[in-house]
Amino acid sequence: MARSLYEWLWQHEFWLPPGITWEDMQESEDTHYPKPRDLLLSIPFALILVVIRCAFERAIALPLSTKLGVRDKQRPKAQPNPVLETFYSTRCKNPGEGEVLSLAKQCDLPVRKVEKWFRRRRNMDRPSLSKKFSEACWRFTFYIISFSTGLAVLYNKPWLWDHRECWTGYPQQPLQPSLFWYYMLELSFYWSLVFTLPFDVKRKDFKEQIVHHAATIFLISFSYCANYIRIGTLVMVIHDASDCFLEPTKIFNYMKWKRTCDSLFMIFSAVFLISRLVIYPYTVLYNTYYYSMEIFQPFFGYYFVNVLLTILQLLHVFWSYLIIHMVYKFILQGTMEKDMRSDTEESDKDEERDKIREKEKNGITYFSNVTSNGYIQRNGSEPLDKRAHLANGHAKER
């Protein structure tokens, strides 16, 4: 059964252009072609990257966040309550009005206190600022390394400058060692992101991120197996270019360096929009759709790779919309709006109202205490204890 499935999956009609078979892709001492089994190396490499990341964040990123003045917000903790905790863990983290009323009756608590408990409990689960800073530092470090590696690997390759060279001799294009390790680096990194996805900072586009990681892994894997190495390297370099500016923007945002953050974000926006909406469609989409047809006729692999590349482009359009919206707000207001992708901490407006109510309850005592010590002055006059009060409420100087 497994053997039949394997043979069906790897029919040369699926993955190779018409007239080319797997026999034409046989290796020799001097010529090596990509093999699907090579991709298995990315799994242990991904686990190594996860270990390196943990060590990097603990030994470098966290101490650096402290030195740069990144401070975690002090969040009020939710009081222990077994009933509410059970509901929070097993059913819902943001209950509706009816559920809040039911829980309030079970716990014999006011509705407002139940709402406050859930608000505080949700904030306790939100990542700290130092965690966000550490994650951004790790990604920035990797993107700089991968982008530099990509440029070093592709600088002297003809297809970087002449895109038609992506298809010269396809699919019988020998695999060079530098391209193999570049592929392993990128594929291992995206696998590591999948492994750490449950522990990373979750943003509003969490579902889109999952689709992005899955499409990227499938695209890298398929392009390797079908020997779309040349077009695959262009895709990876284009994506890393803008990411090199995104992560430092986050870092300076966490450091509260407002002007630097705004400047970097504008640079990132320009690089992202140009690379994803201009360079990517022409260099990659038009290349695979049109230039490849000068070499071979359409086949299943041709359609499949174009579908994956189009999914990435749709995601580019989605993120570009968010970025353009933020730039528009920045131009109108002169200040950068919070990241629309971020899962921001709930504003404790209700807690502020509760504090105001508590102050109002204690207002008489507070007022009497400060006035008895003569701290209140009006219109620049002397303290009250230096003036005599008449029966009609007016004061005269002693």
Side-chain angles (χ1 to χ4, degrees):
M1 180 67 179
R3 180 68 179 179
S4 300
L5 179 62
Y6 179 84
E7 292 178 353
W8 175 84
L9 179 63
W10 292 107
Q11 294 181 68
H12 62 82
E13 292 87 357
F14 288 170
W15 312 112
L16 299 176
I20 303 294
T21 65
W22 292 117
E23 284 73 18
D24 299 321
M25 303 290 293
Q26 294 298 321
E27 295 185 345
S28 63
E29 293 183 1
D30 300 327
T31 304
H32 298 279
Y33 295 110
K35 299 295 181 183
R37 62 175 179 270
D38 298 339
L39 299 177
L40 296 176
L41 291 174
S42 63
I43 303 300
F45 287 160
L47 296 177
I48 292 174
L49 281 179
V50 172
V51 173
I52 293 175
R53 173 183 173 175
C54 293
F56 174 87
E57 291 185 352
R58 291 188 179 184
I60 298 177
L62 281 176
L64 183 62
S65 67
T66 303
K67 290 184 179 180
L68 294 178
V70 178
R71 298 286 183 267
D72 293 332
K73 182 179 179 180
Q74 296 296 325
R75 300 166 178 167
K77 295 183 178 180
Q79 296 295 327
N81 189 307
V83 176
L84 299 181
E85 184 65 35
T86 301
F87 186 92
Y88 180 88
S89 303
T90 60
R91 294 187 58 185
C92 179
K93 296 183 178 181
N94 194 4
E97 183 178 352
E99 292 172 321
V100 170
L101 291 173
S102 176
L103 290 170
K105 292 180 181 179
Q106 293 181 41
C107 301
D108 193 22
L109 292 173
V111 171
R112 185 170 296 277
K113 285 192 175 182
V114 174
E115 294 174 344
K116 181 195 294 186
W117 188 95
F118 277 95
R119 184 171 60 252
R120 291 184 172 182
R121 185 65 181 85
R122 287 192 297 270
N123 282 335
M124 287 172 60
D125 284 348
R126 284 183 168 81
S128 62
L129 203 60
S130 59
K131 177 176 174 57
K132 295 179 180 180
F133 179 91
S134 300
E135 181 178 311
C137 282
W138 163 250
R139 297 196 182 202
F140 172 63
T141 302
F142 178 84
Y143 287 134
I144 286 292
I145 294 174
S146 62
F147 183 62
S148 302
T149 302
L151 290 180
V153 168
L154 296 178
Y155 178 76
N156 59 350
K157 302 298 187 293
W159 62 86
L160 180 63
W161 313 106
D162 184 2
H163 304 320
R164 282 184 169 89
E165 288 293 325
C166 289
W167 311 109
T168 301
Y170 179 83
Q172 294 168 307
Q173 298 170 337
L175 176 63
Q176 302 176 18
S178 59
L179 298 178
F180 168 78
W181 289 111
Y182 181 43
Y183 251 76
M184 286 300 105
L185 177 67
E186 291 280 352
L187 184 58
S188 300
F189 175 70
Y190 282 102
W191 271 121
S192 71
L193 292 183
V194 172
F195 295 158
T196 59
L197 203 59
F199 313 103
D200 288 343
V201 176
K202 290 182 175 59
R203 304 183 185 277
K204 293 180 180 179
D205 62 344
F206 179 73
K207 295 180 180 179
E208 288 79 6
Q209 284 285 348
I210 295 177
V211 175
H212 174 268
H213 295 341
T216 302
I217 289 173
F218 278 117
L219 180 59
I220 293 176
S221 301
F222 170 74
S223 65
Y224 184 86
C225 294
N227 206 11
Y228 284 104
I229 299 292
R230 297 184 180 184
I231 198 70
T233 54
L234 295 179
V235 173
M236 293 187 291
V237 167
I238 291 172
H239 279 72
D240 289 342
S242 58
D243 290 333
C244 290
F245 293 97
L246 174 60
E247 301 306 326
T249 302
K250 296 178 183 179
I251 291 173
F252 284 107
N253 180 45
Y254 303 145
M255 293 168 55
K256 309 299 183 184
W257 289 27
K258 189 65 177 173
R259 291 184 179 179
T260 306
C261 174
D262 292 348
S263 300
L264 281 174
F265 181 80
M266 296 304 292
I267 296 174
F268 159 75
S269 301
V271 174
F272 185 96
L273 295 176
I274 293 173
S275 63
R276 306 292 180 93
L277 300 184
V278 180
I279 297 178
Y280 178 86
Y282 172 72
T283 304
V284 177
L285 292 180
Y286 185 76
N287 193 358
T288 56
Y289 179 77
Y290 181 74
Y291 287 157
S292 61
M293 292 297 95
E294 297 177 353
I295 307 298
F296 51 77
Q297 295 300 314
F299 61 104
F300 174 79
Y302 163 82
Y303 294 114
F304 188 70
V305 73
N306 275 283
V307 167
L308 291 177
L309 292 172
T310 303
I311 290 175
L312 284 182
Q313 182 59 26
L314 292 176
L315 290 170
H316 296 164
V317 173
F318 170 76
W319 285 314
S320 296
Y321 164 76
L322 298 182
I323 292 171
I324 292 172
H325 180 80
M326 294 178 70
V327 171
Y328 177 74
K329 290 289 186 180
F330 175 75
I331 294 174
L332 289 182
Q333 301 176 1
T335 182
M336 189 61 62
E337 190 183 53
K338 288 186 178 180
D339 186 359
M340 294 174 65
R341 297 172 54 235
S342 298
D343 186 11
T344 54
E345 183 167 335
E346 294 181 58
S347 176
D348 289 323
K349 293 181 180 179
D350 291 336
E351 290 206 16
E352 292 175 3
R353 295 192 191 100
D354 293 340
K355 290 180 181 178
I356 292 174
R357 290 191 185 95
E358 292 177 2
K359 288 182 179 180
E360 289 176 351
K361 290 180 181 178
N362 300 326
I364 298 176
T365 306
Y366 175 77
F367 181 80
S368 62
N369 287 338
V370 296
T371 52
S372 64
N373 292 326
Y375 291 144
I376 294 182
Q377 299 181 16
R378 295 173 183 168
N379 301 324
S381 59
E382 295 182 358
L384 293 179
D385 59 354
K386 292 185 179 180
R387 297 187 293 171
H389 292 267
L390 300 179
N392 59 5
H394 295 282
K396 71 174 183 178
E397 300 295 333
R398 289 181 178 176

